Amino acid sequence: MYDGLQSPGRNDECWCGSGKKYKKCHLDFDERLEELAEAGEEVPPRDLLKTPAEIEGIKRSAEVNIGVLDYVAERIAPGVTTEQIDQWVHDYTVEHGAIPAPLDYEGFPKSVCTSVNEVVCHGIPSPDEVLREGDIVNIDCSTIKDDFFSDSSRMFCIGEVSPEAADLVRVTKEAVQVGLGAIKPWGHLGDIGAAVNAYAREHGYTVVREFGGHGIGLEFHEDPFVSFVTEAGTGPILVPGLCFTIEPMINAGAQEIDMTDPNGWTVRTADRSLTAQWEVQLVITEDGYELLSW
Ligand code: MF3
Ligand code: CO
């Protein structure tokens, strides 16, 4: 097949775990994939497509991930340190039989990313960082449960924030909705980025190029890379079973970022303008998509 993987025999069990014969299950589906590949489309290899059992596992992981963010949402307030948030995330996750995915991931020292104001992503929680009225902060949680990965992030406005900050946070959330609205099963991944980008620009904002979403489920970061600077009708085909995140980082000012922080992680806007991000995790279905984490 196009992906170099072997297909089962017609009368053998399907690869999806349904227990049905291949010819009664994914044979037609696989033929469609092969035809698309022959027509020159970029078709995700079948080992990226999640089986129903894998999706159930990812949902159990996501249940904890969503719970962590809800827990933070109930407590975050002026005067809280990002270290305190890290503690909440760590303890809640472990108490629910799961592991915070960021902890020790490529050397990341904490259980969650906390990105305040001009920090684009990968902010490291610190006891010296106190959230103050007017701050906007992204809390990016990722969870491993029974070897399944989930990942989502939300913005929080600390007390009363400026109208500019509130607008950026709202438009970024709406951009994710617009991206979800661009999903058509058997369409193209680039449709999502094109829609997100157009929406951000209409509102006078810019979209970070260097970071994006990613496949996820059996690993923290799988293919495909999900850019939000793409043309419609380009990129991989949105095949049912493909599981990935939509997580645009949107800047109030220039698109450029600064990755020179000596800690090797914290990314800032180059012009120190405000930036926001929301992240959801989804799986493509025959009818559209199903949200898994938010
Ligand atoms: N949660 C981030 C993402 O959406 C990844 C953070 S990597 C870490 O992909 F090591 F900083 F946690
Ligand atoms: Co992510």
Side-chain angles (χ1 to χ4, degrees), residues 101-103 105-106 108 110 112-113 122 140-142 151-152 212 214 220-221 245 247 249 265 277 279:
L103 191 57
Y105 175 78
E106 293 186 4
F108 192 79
K110 297 285 181 174
V112 60
C113 296
H122 301 166
D140 190 344
C141 289
S142 319
D151 185 9
S152 54
H214 49 93
F220 195 172
H221 295 110
T245 68
E247 49 175 316
M249 300 164 197
W265 284 100
Q277 179 186 28
E279 174 177 18

mmCIF file with all atom_site columns, all heavy atoms in Angstrom, residues 101-103 105-106 108 110 112-113 122 140-142 151-152 212 214 220-221 245 247 249 265 277 279, ligand 1:
data_model
loop_
_atom_site.group_PDB
_atom_site.id
_atom_site.type_symbol
_atom_site.label_atom_id
_atom_site.label_alt_id
_atom_site.label_comp_id
_atom_site.label_asym_id
_atom_site.label_entity_id
_atom_site.label_seq_id
_atom_site.pdbx_PDB_ins_code
_atom_site.Cartn_x
_atom_site.Cartn_y
_atom_site.Cartn_z
_atom_site.occupancy
_atom_site.B_iso_or_equiv
_atom_site.pdbx_formal_charge
_atom_site.auth_seq_id
_atom_site.auth_comp_id
_atom_site.auth_asym_id
_atom_site.auth_atom_id
_atom_site.pdbx_PDB_model_num
ATOM   1   N N   . ALA A 1 101 ? 2.218  14.932 31.075 1.00 0.00 ? 101 ALA A N   1
ATOM   2   C CA  . ALA A 1 101 ? 3.120  14.643 29.945 1.00 0.00 ? 101 ALA A CA  1
ATOM   3   C C   . ALA A 1 101 ? 4.318  15.593 29.840 1.00 0.00 ? 101 ALA A C   1
ATOM   4   O O   . ALA A 1 101 ? 5.394  15.160 29.414 1.00 0.00 ? 101 ALA A O   1
ATOM   5   C CB  . ALA A 1 101 ? 2.333  14.623 28.636 1.00 0.00 ? 101 ALA A CB  1
ATOM   6   N N   . PRO A 1 102 ? 4.178  16.879 30.213 1.00 0.00 ? 102 PRO A N   1
ATOM   7   C CA  . PRO A 1 102 ? 5.342  17.765 30.058 1.00 0.00 ? 102 PRO A CA  1
ATOM   8   C C   . PRO A 1 102 ? 6.514  17.420 30.983 1.00 0.00 ? 102 PRO A C   1
ATOM   9   O O   . PRO A 1 102 ? 7.658  17.693 30.642 1.00 0.00 ? 102 PRO A O   1
ATOM   10  C CB  . PRO A 1 102 ? 4.795  19.156 30.409 1.00 0.00 ? 102 PRO A CB  1
ATOM   11  C CG  . PRO A 1 102 ? 3.330  19.049 30.140 1.00 0.00 ? 102 PRO A CG  1
ATOM   12  C CD  . PRO A 1 102 ? 2.970  17.636 30.537 1.00 0.00 ? 102 PRO A CD  1
ATOM   13  N N   . LEU A 1 103 ? 6.225  16.830 32.151 1.00 0.00 ? 103 LEU A N   1
ATOM   14  C CA  . LEU A 1 103 ? 7.260  16.618 33.162 1.00 0.00 ? 103 LEU A CA  1
ATOM   15  C C   . LEU A 1 103 ? 8.372  15.730 32.601 1.00 0.00 ? 103 LEU A C   1
ATOM   16  O O   . LEU A 1 103 ? 8.127  14.582 32.216 1.00 0.00 ? 103 LEU A O   1
ATOM   17  C CB  . LEU A 1 103 ? 6.619  15.981 34.408 1.00 0.00 ? 103 LEU A CB  1
ATOM   18  C CG  . LEU A 1 103 ? 7.479  15.916 35.675 1.00 0.00 ? 103 LEU A CG  1
ATOM   19  C CD1 . LEU A 1 103 ? 7.971  17.298 36.104 1.00 0.00 ? 103 LEU A CD1 1
ATOM   20  C CD2 . LEU A 1 103 ? 6.692  15.258 36.811 1.00 0.00 ? 103 LEU A CD2 1
ATOM   21  N N   . TYR A 1 105 ? 9.675  15.932 29.819 1.00 0.00 ? 105 TYR A N   1
ATOM   22  C CA  . TYR A 1 105 ? 9.607  15.786 28.362 1.00 0.00 ? 105 TYR A CA  1
ATOM   23  C C   . TYR A 1 105 ? 10.716 16.624 27.739 1.00 0.00 ? 105 TYR A C   1
ATOM   24  O O   . TYR A 1 105 ? 10.728 17.843 27.878 1.00 0.00 ? 105 TYR A O   1
ATOM   25  C CB  . TYR A 1 105 ? 8.240  16.238 27.847 1.00 0.00 ? 105 TYR A CB  1
ATOM   26  C CG  . TYR A 1 105 ? 8.133  16.226 26.338 1.00 0.00 ? 105 TYR A CG  1
ATOM   27  C CD1 . TYR A 1 105 ? 7.939  15.040 25.644 1.00 0.00 ? 105 TYR A CD1 1
ATOM   28  C CD2 . TYR A 1 105 ? 8.249  17.409 25.608 1.00 0.00 ? 105 TYR A CD2 1
ATOM   29  C CE1 . TYR A 1 105 ? 7.860  15.026 24.269 1.00 0.00 ? 105 TYR A CE1 1
ATOM   30  C CE2 . TYR A 1 105 ? 8.163  17.404 24.222 1.00 0.00 ? 105 TYR A CE2 1
ATOM   31  C CZ  . TYR A 1 105 ? 7.972  16.209 23.564 1.00 0.00 ? 105 TYR A CZ  1
ATOM   32  O OH  . TYR A 1 105 ? 7.892  16.196 22.191 1.00 0.00 ? 105 TYR A OH  1
ATOM   33  N N   . GLU A 1 106 ? 11.654 15.968 27.111 1.00 0.00 ? 106 GLU A N   1
ATOM   34  C CA  . GLU A 1 106 ? 12.828 16.640 26.522 1.00 0.00 ? 106 GLU A CA  1
ATOM   35  C C   . GLU A 1 106 ? 13.460 17.626 27.506 1.00 0.00 ? 106 GLU A C   1
ATOM   36  O O   . GLU A 1 106 ? 13.935 18.689 27.110 1.00 0.00 ? 106 GLU A O   1
ATOM   37  C CB  . GLU A 1 106 ? 12.446 17.324 25.197 1.00 0.00 ? 106 GLU A CB  1
ATOM   38  C CG  . GLU A 1 106 ? 12.082 16.284 24.140 1.00 0.00 ? 106 GLU A CG  1
ATOM   39  C CD  . GLU A 1 106 ? 11.833 16.863 22.747 1.00 0.00 ? 106 GLU A CD  1
ATOM   40  O OE1 . GLU A 1 106 ? 12.019 18.084 22.558 1.00 0.00 ? 106 GLU A OE1 1
ATOM   41  O OE2 . GLU A 1 106 ? 11.468 16.075 21.867 1.00 0.00 ? 106 GLU A OE2 1
ATOM   42  N N   . PHE A 1 108 ? 11.917 19.277 29.966 1.00 0.00 ? 108 PHE A N   1
ATOM   43  C CA  . PHE A 1 108 ? 11.036 20.306 30.557 1.00 0.00 ? 108 PHE A CA  1
ATOM   44  C C   . PHE A 1 108 ? 10.897 20.008 32.048 1.00 0.00 ? 108 PHE A C   1
ATOM   45  O O   . PHE A 1 108 ? 10.616 18.873 32.430 1.00 0.00 ? 108 PHE A O   1
ATOM   46  C CB  . PHE A 1 108 ? 9.672  20.322 29.856 1.00 0.00 ? 108 PHE A CB  1
ATOM   47  C CG  . PHE A 1 108 ? 8.847  21.527 30.208 1.00 0.00 ? 108 PHE A CG  1
ATOM   48  C CD1 . PHE A 1 108 ? 9.098  22.760 29.609 1.00 0.00 ? 108 PHE A CD1 1
ATOM   49  C CD2 . PHE A 1 108 ? 7.824  21.442 31.143 1.00 0.00 ? 108 PHE A CD2 1
ATOM   50  C CE1 . PHE A 1 108 ? 8.341  23.895 29.931 1.00 0.00 ? 108 PHE A CE1 1
ATOM   51  C CE2 . PHE A 1 108 ? 7.056  22.561 31.475 1.00 0.00 ? 108 PHE A CE2 1
ATOM   52  C CZ  . PHE A 1 108 ? 7.318  23.784 30.871 1.00 0.00 ? 108 PHE A CZ  1
ATOM   53  N N   . LYS A 1 110 ? 8.776  21.038 34.524 1.00 0.00 ? 110 LYS A N   1
ATOM   54  C CA  . LYS A 1 110 ? 7.532  21.147 35.287 1.00 0.00 ? 110 LYS A CA  1
ATOM   55  C C   . LYS A 1 110 ? 6.420  20.330 34.629 1.00 0.00 ? 110 LYS A C   1
ATOM   56  O O   . LYS A 1 110 ? 6.607  19.725 33.578 1.00 0.00 ? 110 LYS A O   1
ATOM   57  C CB  . LYS A 1 110 ? 7.123  22.624 35.389 1.00 0.00 ? 110 LYS A CB  1
ATOM   58  C CG  . LYS A 1 110 ? 8.126  23.494 36.155 1.00 0.00 ? 110 LYS A CG  1
ATOM   59  C CD  . LYS A 1 110 ? 8.021  23.251 37.649 1.00 0.00 ? 110 LYS A CD  1
ATOM   60  C CE  . LYS A 1 110 ? 9.003  24.146 38.396 1.00 0.00 ? 110 LYS A CE  1
ATOM   61  N NZ  . LYS A 1 110 ? 8.823  24.033 39.858 1.00 0.00 ? 110 LYS A NZ  1
ATOM   62  N N   . VAL A 1 112 ? 3.358  21.499 33.636 1.00 0.00 ? 112 VAL A N   1
ATOM   63  C CA  . VAL A 1 112 ? 2.414  22.278 32.818 1.00 0.00 ? 112 VAL A CA  1
ATOM   64  C C   . VAL A 1 112 ? 3.176  23.478 32.248 1.00 0.00 ? 112 VAL A C   1
ATOM   65  O O   . VAL A 1 112 ? 4.164  23.928 32.842 1.00 0.00 ? 112 VAL A O   1
ATOM   66  C CB  . VAL A 1 112 ? 1.219  22.733 33.687 1.00 0.00 ? 112 VAL A CB  1
ATOM   67  C CG1 . VAL A 1 112 ? 1.663  23.605 34.851 1.00 0.00 ? 112 VAL A CG1 1
ATOM   68  C CG2 . VAL A 1 112 ? 0.149  23.447 32.874 1.00 0.00 ? 112 VAL A CG2 1
ATOM   69  N N   . CYS A 1 113 ? 2.713  23.978 31.110 1.00 0.00 ? 113 CYS A N   1
ATOM   70  C CA  . CYS A 1 113 ? 3.271  25.226 30.576 1.00 0.00 ? 113 CYS A CA  1
ATOM   71  C C   . CYS A 1 113 ? 2.344  26.368 30.976 1.00 0.00 ? 113 CYS A C   1
ATOM   72  O O   . CYS A 1 113 ? 1.127  26.274 30.782 1.00 0.00 ? 113 CYS A O   1
ATOM   73  C CB  . CYS A 1 113 ? 3.388  25.176 29.057 1.00 0.00 ? 113 CYS A CB  1
ATOM   74  S SG  . CYS A 1 113 ? 4.550  23.923 28.468 1.00 0.00 ? 113 CYS A SG  1
ATOM   75  N N   . HIS A 1 122 ? 5.328  27.595 26.164 1.00 0.00 ? 122 HIS A N   1
ATOM   76  C CA  . HIS A 1 122 ? 6.394  26.917 26.911 1.00 0.00 ? 122 HIS A CA  1
ATOM   77  C C   . HIS A 1 122 ? 6.941  27.733 28.081 1.00 0.00 ? 122 HIS A C   1
ATOM   78  O O   . HIS A 1 122 ? 8.102  27.574 28.462 1.00 0.00 ? 122 HIS A O   1
ATOM   79  C CB  . HIS A 1 122 ? 7.552  26.502 25.974 1.00 0.00 ? 122 HIS A CB  1
ATOM   80  C CG  . HIS A 1 122 ? 7.109  25.591 24.874 1.00 0.00 ? 122 HIS A CG  1
ATOM   81  N ND1 . HIS A 1 122 ? 7.872  25.312 23.780 1.00 0.00 ? 122 HIS A ND1 1
ATOM   82  C CD2 . HIS A 1 122 ? 5.961  24.900 24.714 1.00 0.00 ? 122 HIS A CD2 1
ATOM   83  C CE1 . HIS A 1 122 ? 7.210  24.491 22.961 1.00 0.00 ? 122 HIS A CE1 1
ATOM   84  N NE2 . HIS A 1 122 ? 6.050  24.227 23.520 1.00 0.00 ? 122 HIS A NE2 1
ATOM   85  N N   . ASP A 1 140 ? -1.388 25.238 29.560 1.00 0.00 ? 140 ASP A N   1
ATOM   86  C CA  . ASP A 1 140 ? -1.333 24.164 28.553 1.00 0.00 ? 140 ASP A CA  1
ATOM   87  C C   . ASP A 1 140 ? -1.076 22.842 29.267 1.00 0.00 ? 140 ASP A C   1
ATOM   88  O O   . ASP A 1 140 ? 0.021  22.585 29.766 1.00 0.00 ? 140 ASP A O   1
ATOM   89  C CB  . ASP A 1 140 ? -0.224 24.478 27.543 1.00 0.00 ? 140 ASP A CB  1
ATOM   90  C CG  . ASP A 1 140 ? -0.268 23.545 26.342 1.00 0.00 ? 140 ASP A CG  1
ATOM   91  O OD1 . ASP A 1 140 ? -0.925 22.488 26.413 1.00 0.00 ? 140 ASP A OD1 1
ATOM   92  O OD2 . ASP A 1 140 ? 0.383  23.874 25.334 1.00 0.00 ? 140 ASP A OD2 1
ATOM   93  N N   . CYS A 1 141 ? -2.122 22.008 29.329 1.00 0.00 ? 141 CYS A N   1
ATOM   94  C CA  . CYS A 1 141 ? -2.054 20.737 30.057 1.00 0.00 ? 141 CYS A CA  1
ATOM   95  C C   . CYS A 1 141 ? -1.999 19.575 29.079 1.00 0.00 ? 141 CYS A C   1
ATOM   96  O O   . CYS A 1 141 ? -2.719 19.558 28.080 1.00 0.00 ? 141 CYS A O   1
ATOM   97  C CB  . CYS A 1 141 ? -3.289 20.565 30.938 1.00 0.00 ? 141 CYS A CB  1
ATOM   98  S SG  . CYS A 1 141 ? -3.295 21.676 32.328 1.00 0.00 ? 141 CYS A SG  1
ATOM   99  N N   . SER A 1 142 ? -1.187 18.607 29.415 1.00 0.00 ? 142 SER A N   1
ATOM   100 C CA  . SER A 1 142 ? -1.079 17.393 28.609 1.00 0.00 ? 142 SER A CA  1
ATOM   101 C C   . SER A 1 142 ? -0.955 16.222 29.572 1.00 0.00 ? 142 SER A C   1
ATOM   102 O O   . SER A 1 142 ? -0.237 16.312 30.570 1.00 0.00 ? 142 SER A O   1
ATOM   103 C CB  . SER A 1 142 ? 0.155  17.458 27.709 1.00 0.00 ? 142 SER A CB  1
ATOM   104 O OG  . SER A 1 142 ? 0.299  18.753 27.160 1.00 0.00 ? 142 SER A OG  1
ATOM   105 N N   . ASP A 1 151 ? -4.111 16.486 25.223 1.00 0.00 ? 151 ASP A N   1
ATOM   106 C CA  . ASP A 1 151 ? -3.429 17.784 25.210 1.00 0.00 ? 151 ASP A CA  1
ATOM   107 C C   . ASP A 1 151 ? -4.438 18.874 24.867 1.00 0.00 ? 151 ASP A C   1
ATOM   108 O O   . ASP A 1 151 ? -5.081 18.799 23.824 1.00 0.00 ? 151 ASP A O   1
ATOM   109 C CB  . ASP A 1 151 ? -2.327 17.705 24.131 1.00 0.00 ? 151 ASP A CB  1
ATOM   110 C CG  . ASP A 1 151 ? -1.424 18.923 24.054 1.00 0.00 ? 151 ASP A CG  1
ATOM   111 O OD1 . ASP A 1 151 ? -1.515 19.795 24.934 1.00 0.00 ? 151 ASP A OD1 1
ATOM   112 O OD2 . ASP A 1 151 ? -0.623 18.974 23.108 1.00 0.00 ? 151 ASP A OD2 1
ATOM   113 N N   . SER A 1 152 ? -4.585 19.855 25.771 1.00 0.00 ? 152 SER A N   1
ATOM   114 C CA  . SER A 1 152 ? -5.395 21.024 25.417 1.00 0.00 ? 152 SER A CA  1
ATOM   115 C C   . SER A 1 152 ? -4.979 22.187 26.296 1.00 0.00 ? 152 SER A C   1
ATOM   116 O O   . SER A 1 152 ? -4.336 21.997 27.334 1.00 0.00 ? 152 SER A O   1
ATOM   117 C CB  . SER A 1 152 ? -6.899 20.734 25.553 1.00 0.00 ? 152 SER A CB  1
ATOM   118 O OG  . SER A 1 152 ? -7.231 20.249 26.823 1.00 0.00 ? 152 SER A OG  1
ATOM   119 N N   . GLY A 1 212 ? 2.888  24.920 15.994 1.00 0.00 ? 212 GLY A N   1
ATOM   120 C CA  . GLY A 1 212 ? 1.531  24.609 15.550 1.00 0.00 ? 212 GLY A CA  1
ATOM   121 C C   . GLY A 1 212 ? 1.014  23.396 16.288 1.00 0.00 ? 212 GLY A C   1
ATOM   122 O O   . GLY A 1 212 ? 1.568  22.984 17.304 1.00 0.00 ? 212 GLY A O   1
ATOM   123 N N   . HIS A 1 214 ? -0.370 19.257 16.253 1.00 0.00 ? 214 HIS A N   1
ATOM   124 C CA  . HIS A 1 214 ? 0.355  18.012 16.000 1.00 0.00 ? 214 HIS A CA  1
ATOM   125 C C   . HIS A 1 214 ? -0.572 16.822 16.162 1.00 0.00 ? 214 HIS A C   1
ATOM   126 O O   . HIS A 1 214 ? -1.532 16.880 16.935 1.00 0.00 ? 214 HIS A O   1
ATOM   127 C CB  . HIS A 1 214 ? 1.523  17.888 16.987 1.00 0.00 ? 214 HIS A CB  1
ATOM   128 C CG  . HIS A 1 214 ? 1.109  18.130 18.423 1.00 0.00 ? 214 HIS A CG  1
ATOM   129 N ND1 . HIS A 1 214 ? 0.746  17.111 19.269 1.00 0.00 ? 214 HIS A ND1 1
ATOM   130 C CD2 . HIS A 1 214 ? 0.932  19.277 19.119 1.00 0.00 ? 214 HIS A CD2 1
ATOM   131 C CE1 . HIS A 1 214 ? 0.399  17.624 20.445 1.00 0.00 ? 214 HIS A CE1 1
ATOM   132 N NE2 . HIS A 1 214 ? 0.494  18.954 20.382 1.00 0.00 ? 214 HIS A NE2 1
ATOM   133 N N   . PHE A 1 220 ? 3.084  11.810 22.400 1.00 0.00 ? 220 PHE A N   1
ATOM   134 C CA  . PHE A 1 220 ? 2.755  13.214 22.696 1.00 0.00 ? 220 PHE A CA  1
ATOM   135 C C   . PHE A 1 220 ? 2.666  13.994 21.384 1.00 0.00 ? 220 PHE A C   1
ATOM   136 O O   . PHE A 1 220 ? 1.703  14.703 21.116 1.00 0.00 ? 220 PHE A O   1
ATOM   137 C CB  . PHE A 1 220 ? 3.850  13.787 23.602 1.00 0.00 ? 220 PHE A CB  1
ATOM   138 C CG  . PHE A 1 220 ? 3.522  15.084 24.295 1.00 0.00 ? 220 PHE A CG  1
ATOM   139 C CD1 . PHE A 1 220 ? 4.400  15.578 25.267 1.00 0.00 ? 220 PHE A CD1 1
ATOM   140 C CD2 . PHE A 1 220 ? 2.379  15.803 24.022 1.00 0.00 ? 220 PHE A CD2 1
ATOM   141 C CE1 . PHE A 1 220 ? 4.136  16.760 25.932 1.00 0.00 ? 220 PHE A CE1 1
ATOM   142 C CE2 . PHE A 1 220 ? 2.104  16.998 24.682 1.00 0.00 ? 220 PHE A CE2 1
ATOM   143 C CZ  . PHE A 1 220 ? 2.991  17.471 25.635 1.00 0.00 ? 220 PHE A CZ  1
ATOM   144 N N   . HIS A 1 221 ? 3.713  13.854 20.569 1.00 0.00 ? 221 HIS A N   1
ATOM   145 C CA  . HIS A 1 221 ? 3.741  14.575 19.293 1.00 0.00 ? 221 HIS A CA  1
ATOM   146 C C   . HIS A 1 221 ? 3.927  13.592 18.157 1.00 0.00 ? 221 HIS A C   1
ATOM   147 O O   . HIS A 1 221 ? 4.989  12.996 18.010 1.00 0.00 ? 221 HIS A O   1
ATOM   148 C CB  . HIS A 1 221 ? 4.857  15.630 19.306 1.00 0.00 ? 221 HIS A CB  1
ATOM   149 C CG  . HIS A 1 221 ? 4.618  16.706 20.314 1.00 0.00 ? 221 HIS A CG  1
ATOM   150 N ND1 . HIS A 1 221 ? 5.358  16.853 21.459 1.00 0.00 ? 221 HIS A ND1 1
ATOM   151 C CD2 . HIS A 1 221 ? 3.691  17.686 20.359 1.00 0.00 ? 221 HIS A CD2 1
ATOM   152 C CE1 . HIS A 1 221 ? 4.891  17.874 22.158 1.00 0.00 ? 221 HIS A CE1 1
ATOM   153 N NE2 . HIS A 1 221 ? 3.879  18.391 21.521 1.00 0.00 ? 221 HIS A NE2 1
ATOM   154 N N   . THR A 1 245 ? -4.206 18.135 17.216 1.00 0.00 ? 245 THR A N   1
ATOM   155 C CA  . THR A 1 245 ? -4.619 19.330 17.945 1.00 0.00 ? 245 THR A CA  1
ATOM   156 C C   . THR A 1 245 ? -4.735 20.522 16.995 1.00 0.00 ? 245 THR A C   1
ATOM   157 O O   . THR A 1 245 ? -4.076 20.571 15.958 1.00 0.00 ? 245 THR A O   1
ATOM   158 C CB  . THR A 1 245 ? -3.607 19.706 19.043 1.00 0.00 ? 245 THR A CB  1
ATOM   159 O OG1 . THR A 1 245 ? -2.384 20.135 18.434 1.00 0.00 ? 245 THR A OG1 1
ATOM   160 C CG2 . THR A 1 245 ? -3.327 18.537 19.981 1.00 0.00 ? 245 THR A CG2 1
ATOM   161 N N   . GLU A 1 247 ? -4.145 24.470 17.681 1.00 0.00 ? 247 GLU A N   1
ATOM   162 C CA  . GLU A 1 247 ? -3.626 25.298 18.778 1.00 0.00 ? 247 GLU A CA  1
ATOM   163 C C   . GLU A 1 247 ? -2.867 26.512 18.262 1.00 0.00 ? 247 GLU A C   1
ATOM   164 O O   . GLU A 1 247 ? -1.671 26.656 18.497 1.00 0.00 ? 247 GLU A O   1
ATOM   165 C CB  . GLU A 1 247 ? -2.745 24.455 19.701 1.00 0.00 ? 247 GLU A CB  1
ATOM   166 C CG  . GLU A 1 247 ? -1.676 23.609 19.025 1.00 0.00 ? 247 GLU A CG  1
ATOM   167 C CD  . GLU A 1 247 ? -0.774 22.903 20.039 1.00 0.00 ? 247 GLU A CD  1
ATOM   168 O OE1 . GLU A 1 247 ? -0.358 23.544 21.011 1.00 0.00 ? 247 GLU A OE1 1
ATOM   169 O OE2 . GLU A 1 247 ? -0.491 21.701 19.858 1.00 0.00 ? 247 GLU A OE2 1
ATOM   170 N N   . MET A 1 249 ? -1.216 30.084 17.901 1.00 0.00 ? 249 MET A N   1
ATOM   171 C CA  . MET A 1 249 ? -0.682 31.147 18.754 1.00 0.00 ? 249 MET A CA  1
ATOM   172 C C   . MET A 1 249 ? -0.827 32.438 17.962 1.00 0.00 ? 249 MET A C   1
ATOM   173 O O   . MET A 1 249 ? -0.292 32.547 16.859 1.00 0.00 ? 249 MET A O   1
ATOM   174 C CB  . MET A 1 249 ? 0.781  30.858 19.075 1.00 0.00 ? 249 MET A CB  1
ATOM   175 C CG  . MET A 1 249 ? 0.939  29.523 19.805 1.00 0.00 ? 249 MET A CG  1
ATOM   176 S SD  . MET A 1 249 ? 2.613  28.899 19.828 1.00 0.00 ? 249 MET A SD  1
ATOM   177 C CE  . MET A 1 249 ? 2.278  27.176 20.262 1.00 0.00 ? 249 MET A CE  1
ATOM   178 N N   . TRP A 1 265 ? 13.462 27.260 26.775 1.00 0.00 ? 265 TRP A N   1
ATOM   179 C CA  . TRP A 1 265 ? 12.051 26.936 26.571 1.00 0.00 ? 265 TRP A CA  1
ATOM   180 C C   . TRP A 1 265 ? 11.179 28.143 26.245 1.00 0.00 ? 265 TRP A C   1
ATOM   181 O O   . TRP A 1 265 ? 10.475 28.149 25.249 1.00 0.00 ? 265 TRP A O   1
ATOM   182 C CB  . TRP A 1 265 ? 11.472 26.242 27.819 1.00 0.00 ? 265 TRP A CB  1
ATOM   183 C CG  . TRP A 1 265 ? 11.889 24.811 27.927 1.00 0.00 ? 265 TRP A CG  1
ATOM   184 C CD1 . TRP A 1 265 ? 12.886 24.304 28.719 1.00 0.00 ? 265 TRP A CD1 1
ATOM   185 C CD2 . TRP A 1 265 ? 11.356 23.710 27.189 1.00 0.00 ? 265 TRP A CD2 1
ATOM   186 N NE1 . TRP A 1 265 ? 12.989 22.958 28.528 1.00 0.00 ? 265 TRP A NE1 1
ATOM   187 C CE2 . TRP A 1 265 ? 12.063 22.560 27.594 1.00 0.00 ? 265 TRP A CE2 1
ATOM   188 C CE3 . TRP A 1 265 ? 10.349 23.575 26.235 1.00 0.00 ? 265 TRP A CE3 1
ATOM   189 C CZ2 . TRP A 1 265 ? 11.793 21.292 27.075 1.00 0.00 ? 265 TRP A CZ2 1
ATOM   190 C CZ3 . TRP A 1 265 ? 10.071 22.311 25.718 1.00 0.00 ? 265 TRP A CZ3 1
ATOM   191 C CH2 . TRP A 1 265 ? 10.790 21.191 26.139 1.00 0.00 ? 265 TRP A CH2 1
ATOM   192 N N   . GLN A 1 277 ? -3.324 31.853 23.004 1.00 0.00 ? 277 GLN A N   1
ATOM   193 C CA  . GLN A 1 277 ? -3.443 30.524 22.389 1.00 0.00 ? 277 GLN A CA  1
ATOM   194 C C   . GLN A 1 277 ? -4.554 29.743 23.076 1.00 0.00 ? 277 GLN A C   1
ATOM   195 O O   . GLN A 1 277 ? -4.671 29.777 24.307 1.00 0.00 ? 277 GLN A O   1
ATOM   196 C CB  . GLN A 1 277 ? -2.127 29.747 22.545 1.00 0.00 ? 277 GLN A CB  1
ATOM   197 C CG  . GLN A 1 277 ? -2.191 28.349 21.946 1.00 0.00 ? 277 GLN A CG  1
ATOM   198 C CD  . GLN A 1 277 ? -0.957 27.509 22.225 1.00 0.00 ? 277 GLN A CD  1
ATOM   199 O OE1 . GLN A 1 277 ? -0.280 27.699 23.230 1.00 0.00 ? 277 GLN A OE1 1
ATOM   200 N NE2 . GLN A 1 277 ? -0.679 26.571 21.355 1.00 0.00 ? 277 GLN A NE2 1
ATOM   201 N N   . GLU A 1 279 ? -6.137 25.637 22.713 1.00 0.00 ? 279 GLU A N   1
ATOM   202 C CA  . GLU A 1 279 ? -5.815 24.355 22.076 1.00 0.00 ? 279 GLU A CA  1
ATOM   203 C C   . GLU A 1 279 ? -6.923 23.335 22.329 1.00 0.00 ? 279 GLU A C   1
ATOM   204 O O   . GLU A 1 279 ? -7.349 23.146 23.470 1.00 0.00 ? 279 GLU A O   1
ATOM   205 C CB  . GLU A 1 279 ? -4.506 23.793 22.636 1.00 0.00 ? 279 GLU A CB  1
ATOM   206 C CG  . GLU A 1 279 ? -4.170 22.399 22.128 1.00 0.00 ? 279 GLU A CG  1
ATOM   207 C CD  . GLU A 1 279 ? -2.831 21.858 22.637 1.00 0.00 ? 279 GLU A CD  1
ATOM   208 O OE1 . GLU A 1 279 ? -2.324 22.394 23.634 1.00 0.00 ? 279 GLU A OE1 1
ATOM   209 O OE2 . GLU A 1 279 ? -2.328 20.899 22.043 1.00 0.00 ? 279 GLU A OE2 1
HETATM 210 N N1  . MF3 B 2 .   ? 1.635  21.165 25.321 1.00 0.00 ? 1   MF3 B N1  1
HETATM 211 C C1  . MF3 B 2 .   ? 2.511  21.586 24.258 1.00 0.00 ? 1   MF3 B C1  1
HETATM 212 C C2  . MF3 B 2 .   ? 1.838  21.285 22.944 1.00 0.00 ? 1   MF3 B C2  1
HETATM 213 O O1  . MF3 B 2 .   ? 0.735  21.666 22.764 1.00 0.00 ? 1   MF3 B O1  1
HETATM 214 C C3  . MF3 B 2 .   ? 3.831  20.912 24.343 1.00 0.00 ? 1   MF3 B C3  1
HETATM 215 C C4  . MF3 B 2 .   ? 4.623  21.367 25.437 1.00 0.00 ? 1   MF3 B C4  1
HETATM 216 S S1  . MF3 B 2 .   ? 6.124  20.583 25.439 1.00 0.00 ? 1   MF3 B S1  1
HETATM 217 C C5  . MF3 B 2 .   ? 6.655  20.843 27.006 1.00 0.00 ? 1   MF3 B C5  1
HETATM 218 O O2  . MF3 B 2 .   ? 2.333  20.658 22.083 1.00 0.00 ? 1   MF3 B O2  1
HETATM 219 F F1  . MF3 B 2 .   ? 7.672  20.097 27.202 1.00 0.00 ? 1   MF3 B F1  1
HETATM 220 F F2  . MF3 B 2 .   ? 6.905  22.093 27.142 1.00 0.00 ? 1   MF3 B F2  1
HETATM 221 F F3  . MF3 B 2 .   ? 5.699  20.520 27.822 1.00 0.00 ? 1   MF3 B F3  1
#
